[in-house]
Amino acid sequence: MATKPSIPKGTRDFGPSEMARRNYIFDTIRKAFKLFGYTPIETPAMENLSTLMGKYGEEGDKLLFRILNSGDYLKDSPQTLIAERDSLALTTHISEKGLRYDLTVPFARFVVQNRNDIQLPFKRCQIQPVWRADRPQKGRYREFYQCDADIVGSESLWNEVELLEMIDEVFRNLKVRVAIKLNNRKILTGIAELIGESDRIVDITVAIDKIEKIGLEKVQEELLSKGIKETAVEKLAPILELKGDNAEKIASLKEVLKNSEAGLKGVEELEWVVAQFDDLGHDCALDVDVSLARGLNYYTGTIIEVKALDVEIGSITGGGRYDNLTGVFGMPGLSGVGISFGADRIYDVLNQLNLYPEAIGESVKVLFLNFGEKEAAESMKLVKELREKGISAELYPDAVKLKKQMAYADSLKVPFVAMIGETELADKTVNLKEMASGTQVKFPITELASKIR
Amino acid sequence: MATKPSIPKGTRDFGPSEMARRNYIFDTIRKAFKLFGYTPIETPAMENLSTLMGKYGEEGDKLLFRILNSGDYLKDSPQTLIAERDSLALTTHISEKGLRYDLTVPFARFVVQNRNDIQLPFKRCQIQPVWRADRPQKGRYREFYQCDADIVGSESLWNEVELLEMIDEVFRNLKVRVAIKLNNRKILTGIAELIGESDRIVDITVAIDKIEKIGLEKVQEELLSKGIKETAVEKLAPILELKGDNAEKIASLKEVLKNSEAGLKGVEELEWVVAQFDDLGHDCALDVDVSLARGLNYYTGTIIEVKALDVEIGSITGGGRYDNLTGVFGMPGLSGVGISFGADRIYDVLNQLNLYPEAIGESVKVLFLNFGEKEAAESMKLVKELREKGISAELYPDAVKLKKQMAYADSLKVPFVAMIGETELADKTVNLKEMASGTQVKFPITELASKIR
């Protein structure tokens, strides 16, 4: 078996330097979650397919990774399906489990299953990988991490404000300049009502999204060509052309949607959230954007999306309010709102902009070179002493040529190299080389820890 | 779909309090890894089956969770296998990927795949879940975490000493009293040579293991009944009865194995490791135990196993040296040594002995009660201020009855509850209740952060 081994396409290994960068991102997000009172949970990688199926649309069902049942999985499968090689229909007989597709459905399942132990409102965060059998491409992987924070059991819009605050906190700490786009599902409902075409929301938001690129006339032509009535397209004009700052946009929306109860409620919610967020004061921009139409299948109120300002990449964080997430598991009427940080895209952004602090990924602080058994034994005592003081240290394990040992120190970017050779062993000293400056000093071993500090 | 949802058997959800406990364990292990210079890597949950198969014995192959190929997986499968319902043979045609079974094989695969980017010796740690389609039972799960540290590319026994040091460090920090059992595969080879029965190592170690329980005579009877020759059983007697401290055991082994080159080499290695470890000074016991026979298929030198002294549970950490881990992937001759902390069993031990520090799992430090919109807006400003100072805080999102809000504070064990009602809003003060003592004080809002500290 001499062929070079490989990993499944769309998956990745992360070596030490990549891990240091990724952990910097995860730690920043984790710190914010803690600061804001979101406590962590974890759910299994495998869920029953009955939990996962039908939650992500037909396309999503196809993208689930399925686990083959153990043992003689074909034993009880219907003969006709086998004979007809009906892969799709046979699947339910030979596979009962799948890998989680996101963290939201497992969270909803968790809440329902543990309803008796959970104090509402329940604020949870969850940082775990998810799996999708998507066609791999640049920036899209079959295994990637989601970092979710949700609060369920409270309809208060303060939760929205808090999540926006947390987005601001995370990206300010990561030094990524972002714009937070904000919409409300009820506004989209209002727009659909206005033009009498409730089922055309997606066409309309796609059109709104194009206005800057191709102009009002072309967008109107497109809408007409898609079969939306001329009167409706006319009524839409003020929304398509929505301009100005958030206050102006909100004022226009109020005017246009004055006859839609749902629409006005959406505008009101949006206005309140924007006002509270602004009142608290922030650097990052909050953009009212009625073309924002993510999660139309489940979001019922606020819709949030975050874009990096300095990198061309899709949404790096998104979220929204859902009024019936747990209904599908038999627990209706529980409102919640949540966001998901896309760790892998954030990683791409930080890589492109090189926004990592210099100190990350540092190896051990002190490497002791190995001059032979007696010297190594003495060095190990010092290694142990440093570790007891919380200073990371190690002994090069083999007494090989110093050139090789120094190459190791260089490749690991070790800040200090310590040397106890024959002379030092005799007079109880240590030679310490600071690698950045190249300076080398010799002093009694008793002074080592204090010199390193 | 009103049936209560569930998770696959053998898997677990971890809620906030369980996560706090588990993270305490993971953080302790992670801290030791860092202190000792082991840098983290991560590998994908899914590996190609060609990577996994044949590495864990026939039994292990059966315990692999297999991923069903996407799309029309039956399309290109041989008709005969389908017609004959040959589940086992069909598997290779409809499944190309599996979930990782441990972290060792993925690590070996990683080293070979990235051989050109890796500086040897390579010290890595890896903390990730693994999956086994084992029959679930108490303490055995289908998804569990392993925490591995390995060093490859060095034959030095200092690596063994360092791993023993790290075991001591981790369990001392966790306050778990342990015994570290130590053996060497070469000693077992020597014993087998001695009695002329190289393929009976397992029978012999099982017998040695029973000696304390059933006595020498019974063990000898058992060995004879298993077809081991009488002369061999006689030669074994001194090893079966191996007594005394480590030095005495080592002396006996040297005498008994004096005609076996491999055996003497094993004793010599063991002696050196014990001497260095003792020389550095420790609290935990290091027990030479020739009945220790884990990983006989791959360990070639040192064998390590850790037992908790105060809880009846299997091995909570184990490891050893392997001379040819990467050989199966086409990279022979790379020696390594590693250990794996069994996080889930360590969790069981800490739970049984209740060894967690009191402070873990603390929620936010300050909860602001919600007295209505204006008061809440003022409270949010203080929440934000506290967070900016690194103090975790939150506002109760809804202006519901105070009794309900206080019940929430109690259930989360919030240390401080802050109140800004109508009066406090007017005179710019805040009421702070320390929940443990029940004392409540009122002061200007400008003093809040300093009072909390």
Side-chain angles (χ1 to χ4, degrees):
Chain A
M1 209 196 289
T3 50
K4 202 177 169 186
S6 62
I7 49 177
K9 64 176 177 183
T11 69
R12 293 161 293 170
D13 283 326
F14 298 109
S17 64
E18 289 148 328
M19 283 298 290
R21 292 170 162 227
R22 291 174 68 81
N23 281 337
Y24 166 68
I25 294 168
F26 289 126
D27 289 345
T28 303
I29 294 171
R30 210 173 273 126
K31 207 178 129 199
F33 285 169
K34 194 175 160 63
L35 200 58
F36 281 66
Y38 292 82
T39 49
I41 71 162
E42 276 186 16
T43 62
M46 295 185 275
E47 293 275 355
N48 291 322
L49 280 176
S50 57
T51 299
L52 300 175
M53 296 283 285
K55 311 301 187 300
Y56 308 105
E58 211 174 303
E59 197 51 38
D61 282 353
K62 281 188 202 151
L63 298 184
L64 293 173
F65 278 110
R66 292 167 165 82
I67 311 279
L68 193 59
N69 291 346
S70 298
D72 188 1
Y73 53 88
L74 282 177
K75 193 159 157 261
D76 297 319
S77 300
Q79 179 57 35
T80 49
L81 298 182
I82 295 176
E84 287 166 15
R85 288 175 171 245
D86 189 341
S87 293
L88 191 63
L90 187 63
T91 305
T92 53
H93 297 276
I94 66 173
S95 165
E96 284 165 6
K97 295 182 284 287
L99 295 181
R100 68 173 162 254
Y101 179 89
D102 71 358
L103 302 179
T104 309
V105 167
F107 172 56
R109 194 263 312 141
F110 176 94
V111 169
V112 177
Q113 199 176 329
N114 299 283
R115 59 207 295 174
N116 296 327
D117 305 320
I118 287 175
Q119 170 77 28
L120 294 178
F122 180 50
K123 289 169 85 169
R124 86 86 170 79
C125 62
Q126 190 171 357
I127 300 183
Q128 289 190 285
V130 301
W131 295 270
R132 296 183 188 177
D134 238 326
R135 214 163 54 87
Q137 56 185 67
K138 196 177 175 302
R140 191 197 283 163
Y141 306 102
R142 291 186 153 186
E143 173 180 66
F144 58 98
Y145 271 83
Q146 290 191 334
C147 310
D148 282 22
D150 289 80
I151 173 165
V152 293
S154 164
E155 292 175 20
S156 164
L157 292 172
W158 281 116
N159 299 308
E160 270 86 340
V161 175
E162 162 141 307
L163 290 171
L164 295 173
E165 286 277 313
M166 194 157 69
I167 290 169
D168 180 57
E169 167 87 13
V170 165
F171 290 109
R172 196 178 61 247
N173 287 337
L174 291 175
K175 299 184 178 34
V176 176
R177 297 199 315 130
V178 297
I180 307 180
K181 288 166 182 267
L182 205 64
N183 196 8
N184 192 299
R185 177 66 166 86
K186 297 184 183 102
I187 292 176
L188 296 177
T189 307
I191 291 173
E193 276 177 21
L194 171 75
I195 57 169
E197 308 252 10
S198 293
D199 51 346
R200 304 302 293 270
I201 284 185
V202 173
D203 286 337
I204 293 162
T205 55
V206 167
I208 296 172
D209 200 35
K210 283 186 188 168
I211 195 107
E212 277 189 26
K213 251 192 214 156
I214 62 175
L216 179 62
E217 255 177 66
K218 285 254 163 72
V219 165
Q220 288 180 320
E221 275 171 32
E222 191 178 308
L223 287 172
L224 290 169
S225 79
K226 282 191 173 162
I228 291 174
K229 281 183 227 116
E230 202 165 337
T231 50
V233 172
E234 267 166 40
K235 280 186 194 162
L236 258 183
I239 285 173
L240 294 175
E241 288 194 295
L242 212 56
K243 275 178 193 149
D245 59 19
N246 292 337
E248 288 165 319
K249 285 182 188 169
I250 287 167
S252 302
L253 283 169
K254 273 187 186 164
E255 176 58 28
V256 178
L257 296 172
K258 63 188 172 213
N259 293 322
S260 162
E261 197 186 331
L264 281 181
K265 179 93 173 88
V267 181
E268 193 187 292
E269 289 181 7
L270 189 71
E271 186 177 21
W272 193 89
V273 170
V274 172
Q276 302 308 325
F277 186 74
D278 285 348
D279 205 30
L280 287 165
H282 301 88
D283 299 331
C284 78
L286 195 63
D287 291 338
V288 169
D289 181 353
V290 293
S291 74
L292 185 57
R294 61 184 292 143
L296 290 182
N297 293 329
Y298 40 93
Y299 289 146
T300 51
T302 302
I303 306 174
I304 300 166
E305 192 168 274
V306 182
K307 296 239 175 196
L309 292 180
D310 303 313
V311 176
E312 278 288 332
I313 201 167
S315 149
I316 55 176
T317 290
R321 177 172 287 276
Y322 38 82
D323 280 340
N324 200 18
L325 188 67
T326 54
V328 72
F329 296 118
M331 192 178 175
L334 194 65
S335 186
V337 55
I339 54 170
S340 182
F341 290 93
D344 288 271
R345 283 210 179 147
I346 295 172
Y347 176 65
D348 289 344
V349 169
L350 265 72
N351 282 345
Q352 279 195 49
L353 301 177
N354 197 18
L355 291 179
Y356 299 99
E358 274 194 22
I360 66 160
E362 225 176 47
S363 67
V364 286
K365 198 128 189 191
V366 192
L367 171 75
F368 281 77
L369 300 189
N370 192 326
F371 289 86
E373 188 165 327
K374 277 187 189 153
E375 294 85 351
E378 186 65 21
S379 299
M380 265 306 262
K381 284 182 187 149
L382 290 179
V383 166
K384 189 176 162 96
E385 192 192 315
L386 289 178
R387 286 172 178 165
E388 278 165 3
K389 292 182 167 144
I391 299 165
S392 62
E394 68 183 34
L395 166 71
Y396 192 92
D398 302 272
V400 294
K401 281 186 184 150
L402 288 190
K403 201 178 156 188
K404 198 178 170 190
Q405 298 190 43
M406 287 303 284
Y408 176 84
D410 283 334
S411 90
L412 260 66
K413 300 200 182 79
V414 175
F416 294 99
V417 166
M419 286 160 276
I420 297 182
E422 209 179 334
T423 331
E424 290 83 4
L425 186 64
D427 60 9
K428 293 201 177 295
T429 56
V430 55
N431 245 306
L432 188 70
K433 183 171 180 177
E434 197 197 341
M435 295 297 276
S437 63
T439 44
Q440 192 169 320
V441 278
K442 187 172 166 175
F443 47 80
I445 53 169
T446 48
E447 292 173 20
L448 181 61
S450 60
K451 292 273 179 196
I452 303 268
R453 280 183 211 272
Chain B
M1 211 197 287
T3 50
K4 202 176 169 187
S6 62
I7 49 177
K9 64 176 178 183
T11 69
R12 293 161 293 170
D13 282 325
F14 298 108
S17 64
E18 289 149 327
M19 283 298 290
R21 291 170 162 229
R22 292 174 68 80
N23 281 337
Y24 167 67
I25 295 168
F26 289 126
D27 289 345
T28 303
I29 294 171
R30 212 174 272 126
K31 208 178 129 201
F33 285 168
K34 195 175 158 64
L35 201 57
F36 281 66
Y38 291 83
T39 49
I41 70 162
E42 276 186 17
T43 62
M46 295 185 275
E47 293 275 354
N48 291 322
L49 280 176
S50 57
T51 299
L52 300 175
M53 297 282 286
K55 310 301 188 300
Y56 308 105
E58 211 175 304
E59 198 50 39
D61 281 352
K62 281 188 203 152
L63 299 184
L64 293 173
F65 278 111
R66 290 168 167 82
I67 310 278
L68 194 58
N69 291 347
S70 298
D72 188 2
Y73 53 88
L74 283 176
K75 194 161 157 261
D76 296 320
S77 300
Q79 179 57 32
T80 48
L81 300 181
I82 295 176
E84 286 165 16
R85 290 175 169 245
D86 188 340
S87 293
L88 191 63
L90 187 63
T91 305
T92 54
H93 298 276
I94 66 174
S95 166
E96 283 164 6
K97 294 183 285 286
L99 296 181
R100 66 173 164 253
Y101 178 90
D102 72 357
L103 302 179
T104 310
V105 167
F107 171 54
R109 194 265 311 142
F110 176 93
V111 169
V112 177
Q113 199 175 328
N114 299 282
R115 60 207 295 175
N116 296 327
D117 305 320
I118 287 174
Q119 171 77 27
L120 294 178
F122 180 48
K123 289 169 85 170
R124 85 87 170 78
C125 62
Q126 189 170 358
I127 299 182
Q128 289 191 283
V130 302
W131 296 271
R132 296 182 187 177
D134 238 326
R135 214 164 53 87
Q137 58 186 64
K138 195 174 176 303
R140 190 197 284 163
Y141 307 101
R142 291 187 153 186
E143 173 179 65
F144 59 97
Y145 271 83
Q146 291 191 335
C147 310
D148 282 22
D150 290 81
I151 173 165
V152 292
S154 164
E155 292 176 20
S156 164
L157 292 172
W158 281 116
N159 299 307
E160 271 86 340
V161 176
E162 162 141 306
L163 290 171
L164 295 173
E165 285 277 313
M166 195 157 68
I167 290 170
D168 180 57
E169 167 86 14
V170 165
F171 290 109
R172 196 179 60 246
N173 287 337
L174 291 175
K175 300 184 176 33
V176 176
R177 296 198 319 128
V178 296
I180 307 180
K181 288 167 182 267
L182 204 63
N183 196 6
N184 193 299
R185 177 66 165 86
K186 297 186 183 98
I187 292 176
L188 296 176
T189 306
I191 292 173
E193 277 177 22
L194 171 75
I195 57 169
E197 306 253 7
S198 294
D199 50 346
R200 304 303 293 272
I201 285 185
V202 173
D203 286 337
I204 293 163
T205 57
V206 167
I208 298 173
D209 201 33
K210 283 187 187 167
I211 195 104
E212 278 188 25
K213 252 194 213 155
I214 62 175
L216 179 62
E217 256 176 66
K218 285 256 164 70
V219 163
Q220 287 180 320
E221 275 170 34
E222 191 178 309
L223 286 172
L224 289 169
S225 80
K226 284 191 173 164
I228 290 174
K229 282 183 226 114
E230 201 165 337
T231 50
V233 172
E234 267 168 38
K235 280 187 194 162
L236 259 181
I239 285 174
L240 293 175
E241 291 194 294
L242 212 57
K243 274 178 193 150
D245 60 18
N246 291 337
E248 287 164 323
K249 285 183 188 169
I250 287 169
S252 302
L253 284 170
K254 273 189 187 163
E255 176 57 28
V256 178
L257 297 173
K258 63 185 173 215
N259 293 323
S260 161
E261 196 187 333
L264 282 180
K265 179 93 173 86
V267 180
E268 192 187 293
E269 288 182 7
L270 189 72
E271 185 177 24
W272 193 89
V273 170
V274 171
Q276 302 308 324
F277 186 73
D278 284 348
D279 204 29
L280 287 165
H282 300 87
D283 299 331
C284 79
L286 194 63
D287 291 339
V288 169
D289 181 352
V290 292
S291 75
L292 184 58
R294 63 183 292 142
L296 290 183
N297 293 329
Y298 40 95
Y299 289 146
T300 51
T302 303
I303 307 175
I304 301 167
E305 192 168 274
V306 182
K307 296 237 174 198
L309 292 180
D310 303 312
V311 175
E312 277 288 333
I313 201 167
S315 150
I316 56 175
T317 289
R321 177 172 287 276
Y322 38 82
D323 280 339
N324 201 17
L325 188 67
T326 54
V328 71
F329 296 119
M331 193 177 171
L334 195 65
S335 187
V337 55
I339 54 170
S340 182
F341 290 94
D344 288 271
R345 284 210 177 146
I346 295 172
Y347 176 64
D348 289 344
V349 169
L350 266 73
N351 282 345
Q352 280 196 48
L353 301 177
N354 196 18
L355 291 178
Y356 299 99
E358 275 194 21
I360 66 160
E362 225 175 47
S363 68
V364 285
K365 198 129 190 192
V366 193
L367 172 75
F368 281 78
L369 300 189
N370 192 326
F371 290 87
E373 188 165 329
K374 276 184 192 156
E375 294 86 350
E378 187 64 22
S379 299
M380 265 306 262
K381 283 179 189 151
L382 290 178
V383 166
K384 189 177 162 95
E385 192 191 316
L386 289 178
R387 287 171 177 165
E388 278 166 1
K389 290 180 169 146
I391 299 165
S392 63
E394 68 183 34
L395 165 72
Y396 192 92
D398 301 273
V400 294
K401 282 184 183 151
L402 288 189
K403 200 178 157 187
K404 197 176 170 192
Q405 299 190 42
M406 287 304 284
Y408 176 84
D410 284 334
S411 90
L412 260 65
K413 300 200 181 82
V414 175
F416 294 100
V417 166
M419 286 160 277
I420 297 183
E422 208 180 335
T423 332
E424 290 84 4
L425 186 64
D427 60 10
K428 295 203 175 295
T429 56
V430 56
N431 245 305
L432 188 71
K433 182 172 181 175
E434 198 198 339
M435 297 296 278
S437 63
T439 43
Q440 191 168 320
V441 277
K442 187 173 165 174
F443 47 81
I445 53 169
T446 48
E447 292 173 19
L448 180 62
S450 60
K451 293 271 179 199
I452 303 264
R453 279 181 211 272

